[in-house]
Amino acid sequence: AQSVSQHNHHVILSEAASLELGCNYSYGGTVNLFWYVQYPGQHLQLLLKYFSGDPLVKGIKGFEAEFIKSKFSFNLRKPSVQWSDTAEYFCAVISFSGGYNKLIFGAGTRLAVHP
Amino acid sequence: SAVISQKPSRDICQRGTSLTIQCQVDSQVTMMFWYRQQPGQSLTLIATANQGSEATYESGFVIDKFPISRPNLTFSTLTVSNMSPEDSSIYLCSVSGTATYEQYFGPGTRLTVT
């Protein structure tokens, strides 16, 4: 079965630092990949997605992610973080099973950005 | 994207009781899902709610404990039955369409069982 690994559970950065959060999924073939963000006290929001095409995906709020098929990876990046990026970030992949699709989430990465 | 609301937003319940959580979407959607997010953990899919048929449950979740209804394309309920403190979690519903695999999430219901 498809699974997702997020290697960084807690990340602490200063404002203006660059961010890269790791995400690996378990097997190849056609994959649909997502990053979701959960700001404190708010619900999950879709940050960006990859279905096909250009492996470098741009999302909201200056985030981007790169799909590297050979590495089974979909890392999230932002060149300069802000205090408002403090949140929990979840990588997710679609698993096709039993005739329907379901989202498999990674464990999440808590990002704290200090002013 | 769809606008999703959940009721209640939070509740504190006594063990042995049941709570029904409602999920309302502002447009017709094919797929609705129920997730659990235990404190400090990621999201785990409980079941997929199919309109007009039985819900499809994931391993570790059973209908007797988490009965689900999906009477139409905009509404679903999840009941947490015979609650214990281990059921204390955030319960979220999400929706997606047939043409897209994106899922959009509701605000969640924070359940505390004492």
Side-chain angles (χ1 to χ4, degrees):
Chain A
Q2 186 68 274
S3 64
V4 178
S5 298
Q6 290 183 244
H7 311 297
N8 317 103
H9 297 295
H10 290 92
V11 174
I12 301 173
L13 295 173
S14 299
E15 277 194 315
S18 64
L19 170 72
E20 181 160 4
L21 301 181
C23 172
N24 288 92
Y25 58 95
S26 59
Y27 65 76
T30 301
V31 286
N32 302 118
L33 294 153
F34 306 83
W35 276 98
Y36 283 85
V37 60
Q38 190 170 31
Y39 297 103
Q42 297 188 29
H43 63 279
L44 269 172
Q45 300 173 42
L46 182 64
L47 203 52
L48 49 77
K49 62 191 178 193
Y50 172 79
F51 287 171
S52 64
D54 189 344
L56 186 61
V57 179
K58 304 280 187 190
I60 61 172
K61 305 187 180 186
F63 285 91
E64 65 180 30
E66 186 175 12
F67 169 61
I68 303 179
K69 190 173 183 178
S70 61
K71 296 184 178 180
F72 295 83
S73 70
F74 189 56
N75 292 355
L76 181 71
R77 300 195 294 246
K78 186 170 184 178
S80 176
V81 294
Q82 301 171 321
W83 176 80
S84 58
D85 293 322
T86 294
E88 188 154 17
Y89 294 81
F90 294 94
C91 183
V93 64
I94 288 286
S95 174
F96 299 95
S97 173
Y100 65 97
N101 66 79
K102 59 181 183 180
L103 265 180
I104 308 297
F105 283 86
T109 298
R110 287 187 183 274
L111 171 66
V113 180
H114 295 308
Chain B
S1 63
V3 176
I4 305 162
S5 60
Q6 285 186 236
K7 290 182 183 179
S9 58
R10 59 179 63 227
D11 208 341
I12 300 173
C13 302
Q14 291 190 339
R15 72 170 67 213
T17 63
S18 298
L19 176 72
T20 296
I21 302 167
Q22 299 179 4
C23 179
Q24 179 76 53
V25 190
D26 68 341
S27 58
Q28 293 186 341
V29 292
T30 306
M31 309 289 284
M32 295 181 80
F33 305 86
W34 287 98
Y35 290 84
R36 181 173 72 183
Q37 186 177 21
Q38 293 179 302
Q41 297 190 28
S42 186
L43 285 81
T44 302
L45 180 65
I46 297 171
T48 301
N50 307 310
Q51 195 264 334
S53 64
E54 292 279 333
T56 303
Y57 288 83
E58 296 301 304
S59 176
F61 298 96
V62 295
I63 188 171
D64 289 345
K65 175 68 175 177
F66 297 102
I68 287 171
S69 77
R70 178 86 194 270
N72 57 52
L73 292 175
T74 64
F75 187 78
S76 177
T77 66
L78 169 76
T79 299
V80 186
S81 303
N82 188 24
M83 288 184 283
S84 67
E86 292 71 36
D87 295 319
S88 297
S89 288
I90 298 173
Y91 291 85
L92 302 104
C93 76
S94 74
V95 303
S96 74
T98 51
T100 174
Y101 300 125
E102 297 171 32
Q103 288 187 25
Y104 296 93
F105 286 80
T109 295
R110 185 179 292 273
L111 170 62
T112 302
V113 184
T114 60

